[in-house]
Amino acid sequence: MPKFMDIHHDMQGLTADQLNAAHQADLAIQSEEGVTFEHAWADTESGDVFCLSDAPSAGAVQRIHERAGHRADEIHPLTLSV
Amino acid sequence: MPKFMDIHHDMQGLTADQLNAAHQADLAIQSEEGVTFEHAWADTESGDVFCLSDAPSAGAVQRIHERAGHRADEIHPLTLSV
C-alpha cells in the first residue's frame, strides 16, 4: 500500500485536544476508503500539520480528510522511504 | 526528546540509492549532536523530502544535515504528536 504525507497549513495555535479530535474523526471513517492514518504531528507555531498514512490513492486520503472537516493543502505520495 | 520534521525541497528525481546514501551519511554522525533520524520519505515528483527525528534542537538537526551535505529548507518542531 502506498504511503502519503499530507500537510495542513495555517493551523497556528492548534491544541492537543483539537489535534486528537481531528485524528479520531479521520480514524472513525478511514476504513471506508481503505486508508490507515499512522501519525499526525503539528508545529503549532508555523501552523503546519503533517499526517502520515497508508492509502490506495491521494484522493482516498483527501476524501477522508474532507468528510472529517479538514481538507489537506498538500498530499505527497511517498515514492521512496527509508 | 523533542521531535522534528525537516523538509528538503527541489530534490526531483532523487533515486532510492541517493536517499539511502544521504540517510546513511546522517546516521553516521548524528550521535555527535544527540540526534536520532527515524525516517526519511521522498515525493520524487514534487521533489520534497521529509525527515523525522528526535533531537535536542532544530540547530542540532541542521548541523548534522549540513555536515552530511544536504541542508534542510524547513525544520519544524513537532509540538504535538498523535
Side-chain angles (χ1 to χ4, degrees), chain A:
Chain A
M1 184 80 83
K3 281 189 181 292
F4 295 85
M5 184 77 75
D6 69 79
I7 308 178
H8 308 251
H9 297 303
D10 303 320
M11 304 293 285
Q12 288 86 351
L14 186 75
T15 68
D17 284 351
Q18 289 170 328
L19 180 65
N20 288 337
H23 188 58
Q24 288 302 320
D26 288 328
L27 298 187
I29 58 173
Q30 66 181 6
S31 67
E32 297 172 29
E33 294 280 358
V35 178
T36 302
F37 285 102
E38 296 185 354
H39 290 285
W41 301 276
D43 175 347
T44 54
E45 186 170 344
S46 72
D48 294 304
V49 176
F50 304 91
C51 300
L52 182 68
S53 62
D54 286 314
S57 67
V61 173
Q62 189 67 288
R63 285 191 291 275
I64 295 298
H65 273 340
E66 283 185 337
R67 288 176 52 198
H70 42 256
R71 181 179 172 81
D73 296 300
E74 302 177 32
I75 303 183
H76 294 278
L78 300 173
T79 42
L80 299 177
S81 178
V82 63

Side-chain angles (χ1 to χ4, degrees), chain A residues 75-80, chain B residues 11-13 41-50:
Chain A
I75 303 183
H76 294 278
L78 300 173
T79 42
L80 299 177
Chain B
M11 304 292 285
Q12 288 85 352
W41 302 275
D43 175 347
T44 53
E45 185 170 345
S46 73
D48 295 304
V49 176
F50 303 91

Side-chain angles (χ1 to χ4, degrees), chain B residues 36-57:
Chain B
T36 302
F37 285 101
E38 296 184 355
H39 289 285
W41 302 275
D43 175 347
T44 53
E45 185 170 345
S46 73
D48 295 304
V49 176
F50 303 91
C51 301
L52 181 67
S53 61
D54 285 314
S57 67

Side-chain angles (χ1 to χ4, degrees), chain B:
Chain B
M1 183 83 80
K3 280 187 180 297
F4 295 86
M5 184 76 77
D6 69 79
I7 308 178
H8 308 252
H9 298 303
D10 303 320
M11 304 292 285
Q12 288 85 352
L14 188 74
T15 68
D17 284 349
Q18 288 170 330
L19 180 65
N20 288 338
H23 189 58
Q24 288 302 320
D26 289 328
L27 298 186
I29 59 172
Q30 66 181 6
S31 66
E32 297 172 30
E33 294 279 357
V35 178
T36 302
F37 285 101
E38 296 184 355
H39 289 285
W41 302 275
D43 175 347
T44 53
E45 185 170 345
S46 73
D48 295 304
V49 176
F50 303 91
C51 301
L52 181 67
S53 61
D54 285 314
S57 67
V61 172
Q62 190 65 290
R63 285 191 290 276
I64 295 299
H65 273 341
E66 283 186 337
R67 288 175 52 199
H70 42 256
R71 181 180 173 80
D73 296 300
E74 303 178 31
I75 302 183
H76 294 277
L78 300 173
T79 41
L80 300 177
S81 179
V82 64

